[in-house]
Amino acid sequence: MTTVEYAEAEEFIRLCAAEGALPGLRVDDRLAQIKEEIAETGSYRHTQAELAYGARVAWRNSARCIGRLYWRSLRVRDCRHVRDAAGIAGECVTHLREATRQGRIRPTLTVFAPDGPAAPGPRIRNDQLIRYAGYRLEDGSVLGDPQYAGFTDTVRGLGWRAPERRGSFDVLPLLIEAEPGSPRLFSLPADAVLEVPLTHPDHRWFDGLGLRWHAVPAISNMPLEIGGVRYPAAPFNGWYMATEIGARNLADVGRYNLLPVIAGLMGLKTDDDRTMWRDRALVELTLAVQHSFDTAGVTVADHHSESRRFLTHVAREERAGRSCPADWSWVVPPLSGAQTAVFHRYYDEPDPAARPAFLPPG
Ligand code: ARG
């Protein structure tokens, strides 16, 4: 199926060497070994150190991520030997537990088997390990997260039983395809899913809305490509920035669309754009997220500090002789953009061919 190009392997090994990433690496020996292994098997096996460094550089190359200052700290769990669906689900649960640590969130990546010459690697069909169901209701509206209405239909079609009392924040099951055409469902145990109930530092009425969000964003549908080898299941997480939840997930019109509710409770006139009710509600909702995560002791970034740290990262990369491509429209926060330093400049254009990389879901 997929045969590895030696040239891509070579480019990766030379990058590791140039960056002094693999102590004791003898480049020519390693390259000769890889060449032979590819000739014999159509692929080659990364050492644990190569795998870990490749994953870190894939993060460093993620042009949409504002949090890349921490790329060296990524913890990599090698689960290439785990091949059955139940085993993969189990390791996803362990990943969540080890990444969550009661709220002291640690950037973590778990890598499963690569696509090989004989057979494709496993796939995780969820776009994140933790997401909330969206139930289509009779009147055309959605209970829960509308972004996942389609995925919710899919897992229900495969036999997932929604909770007796359906709610706005029902955690979806994992959908794992260890072999093509054999999808299997696994529920996440409650203790592997840390959630934060949302309260507002000043407004008591906010607490009664029953809002919550999960602590760990763990992207699970982006293949990781290192040195010509593609790992289709390589879930990874960092920690949240409050705006992702307060100014997007809970606020976007196509998601929880909560601004009309919040503005209403704030006593704002929501029939006139010029009262800026959306803008005022957006701040209070994001503040509630920040406050709630902080109070619960769950790691969360704020957009002002993270913007400064990102520019520190860009400067460091330049000092290391590298460019730091970034996607302006993703890196600039969805709230108070121009109040953050990342707004006021342009960045090097991302190169879709850069490797190692997390690839678009496919
Ligand atoms: N924006 C996505 C979400 O709300 C998460 C993307 C990754 N974010 C992160 N902080 N690592 O779920």
Side-chain angles (χ1 to χ4, degrees):
M1 289 196 76
T2 32
T3 318
V4 171
E5 292 291 338
Y6 171 75
E8 294 174 21
E10 176 176 8
E11 185 187 306
F12 170 60
I13 296 299
R14 293 204 184 281
L15 172 128
C16 292
E19 299 189 3
L22 308 175
L25 170 70
R26 306 233 307 268
V27 178
D28 294 337
D29 292 355
R30 180 61 178 135
L31 287 177
Q33 197 183 31
I34 290 173
K35 188 173 252 170
E36 197 182 307
E37 204 177 330
I38 294 177
E40 251 166 49
T41 71
S43 184
Y44 70 105
R45 194 180 152 79
H46 287 128
T47 65
Q48 294 216 2
E50 288 165 0
L51 193 62
Y53 199 70
R56 291 176 186 134
V57 174
W59 184 3
R60 189 178 82 197
N61 281 337
S62 298
R64 294 175 166 184
C65 177
I66 192 177
R68 284 180 275 166
L69 179 63
Y70 315 102
W71 67 275
R72 284 178 183 280
S73 74
L74 181 68
R75 203 179 142 245
V76 176
R77 303 177 62 243
D78 180 5
C79 288
R80 285 175 291 178
H81 56 284
V82 182
R83 288 179 168 274
D84 64 298
I88 291 166
E91 288 300 341
C92 290
V93 169
T94 305
H95 175 129
L96 288 175
R97 292 203 173 104
E98 293 185 0
T100 305
R101 293 195 299 175
Q102 266 88 255
R104 285 175 44 240
I105 294 168
R106 181 159 59 171
T108 303
L109 176 142
T110 299
V111 58
F112 295 102
D115 283 336
R123 256 100 180 140
I124 301 170
R125 292 296 172 197
N126 310 63
D127 70 9
Q128 290 193 27
L129 298 181
I130 306 173
R131 295 270 88 174
Y132 295 123
Y135 306 105
R136 296 184 212 276
L137 305 180
E138 305 256 298
D139 65 357
S141 66
V142 172
L143 172 66
D145 194 339
Q147 184 164 296
Y148 296 96
F151 187 78
T152 303
D153 289 341
T154 301
V155 294
R156 292 178 89 182
L158 290 168
W160 181 63
R161 301 265 306 268
E164 198 103 351
R165 285 197 48 199
R166 298 184 305 182
S168 299
F169 301 99
D170 295 343
V171 175
L172 287 161
L174 294 177
L175 179 51
I176 291 173
E177 218 170 313
E179 278 135 40
S182 60
R184 286 191 55 194
L185 294 172
F186 300 89
S187 298
L188 291 172
D191 69 291
V193 183
L194 180 62
E195 294 181 277
V196 180
L198 302 184
T199 59
H200 190 280
D202 312 316
H203 299 313
R204 285 287 72 81
W205 52 258
F206 188 98
D207 311 359
L209 291 170
L211 304 179
R212 54 203 291 120
W213 204 258
H214 54 91
V216 176
I219 293 171
S220 47
N221 66 347
M222 296 181 80
L224 168 60
E225 193 178 297
I226 302 172
V229 179
R230 188 173 294 209
Y231 299 94
F236 60 92
N237 74 277
W239 52 75
Y240 264 117
M241 186 155 85
T243 51
E244 297 183 83
I245 304 168
R248 298 297 311 279
N249 301 347
L250 295 175
D252 278 7
V253 173
R255 301 289 298 282
Y256 282 79
N257 191 21
L258 284 166
L259 298 184
V261 176
I262 289 171
L265 289 161
M266 288 170 72
L268 303 174
K269 269 188 64 195
T270 56
D271 54 1
D272 181 357
D273 285 336
R274 292 172 178 245
T275 65
M276 302 201 186
W277 60 271
R278 288 192 178 277
D279 313 75
R280 296 179 64 185
L282 196 60
V283 171
E284 299 307 330
L285 181 52
T286 306
L287 173 63
V289 172
Q290 195 85 58
H291 164 82
S292 308
F293 273 61
D294 284 344
T295 307
V298 174
T299 312
V300 68
D302 72 84
H303 49 299
H304 299 289
S305 316
E306 218 54 53
S307 295
R308 282 194 297 272
R309 292 194 191 110
F310 181 66
L311 294 183
T312 301
H313 170 67
V314 174
R316 261 194 211 174
E317 286 297 288
E318 281 165 3
R319 250 180 284 131
R322 294 188 287 262
S323 95
C324 180
D327 185 334
W328 191 98
S329 70
W330 277 68
V331 162
V332 170
L335 180 65
S336 309
Q339 285 297 305
T340 65
V342 291
F343 178 97
H344 297 278
R345 52 163 291 172
Y346 289 112
Y347 302 91
D348 289 333
E349 202 63 40
D351 171 8
R355 294 292 183 274
F358 293 107
L359 305 180

